[in-house]
Amino acid sequence: MKKVLSLALAIVLMFTICVPVFAEYVGSTPVRVDGSTVGASFTVTIPATATITWGQTEKAVEYSVYSQLATGKGVKVTVNADTDGKMKNAANTAFLEYSLKNGTTQYTTTKSVILPENAEKSSVVVQIPTANWDKASIDNYIGTLTFSAELTNI
């Protein structure tokens, strides 16, 4: 009986000394995204043609930009009037002088990331003064606007 009692007391003593411990480990692991191998991308959408009605003194030509660039970068779009500011007829025998409002036009985006559905829009205004219309023969004229785009700091 002593042995049984000793064994029972030993078991009780063992359970009283063993205190159950419930622990939870909380830690953190940094997650890094490496963008160093991803190239910048942007799209400038320009119209295929811009039609000016005879006698119209101003025509806004709208374009849009969307991008995914590095932080602090933007897209600078420059628009120039080619052909020395003269639209020419098909035979190159008649000219209609024009200019861009404020000369060469520049626009720089305001954000690094611009979604296509929220593209930033801008426009350049082609000007043909009434005096130029008055001295032009009635014909079809063609001129060219050149859109250049480059990355820049914003």
Side-chain angles (χ1 to χ4, degrees), residues 78-139:
T78 305
V79 184
N80 289 304
D82 288 351
T83 61
D84 300 322
K86 294 181 181 178
M87 293 186 203
K88 300 173 184 176
N89 69 353
N92 262 357
T93 57
F95 303 97
L96 176 60
E97 292 183 25
Y98 73 103
S99 63
L100 299 181
K101 192 171 194 174
N102 302 322
T104 299
T105 303
Q106 289 187 351
Y107 173 77
T108 302
T109 57
T110 58
K111 297 179 259 181
S112 298
V113 177
I114 305 166
L115 299 175
E117 57 270 19
N118 298 323
E120 289 190 10
K121 295 183 187 322
S122 187
S123 64
V124 59
V125 178
V126 176
Q127 294 180 312
I128 305 172
T130 303
N132 292 2
W133 286 112
D134 291 344
K135 60 185 177 183
S137 58
I138 297 175
D139 208 336

Side-chain angles (χ1 to χ4, degrees), residues 45-62:
T45 305
I46 61 173
T49 60
T51 302
I52 301 173
T53 344
W54 190 266
Q56 187 176 0
T57 57
E58 288 192 348
K59 169 72 174 185
V61 179
E62 190 175 273

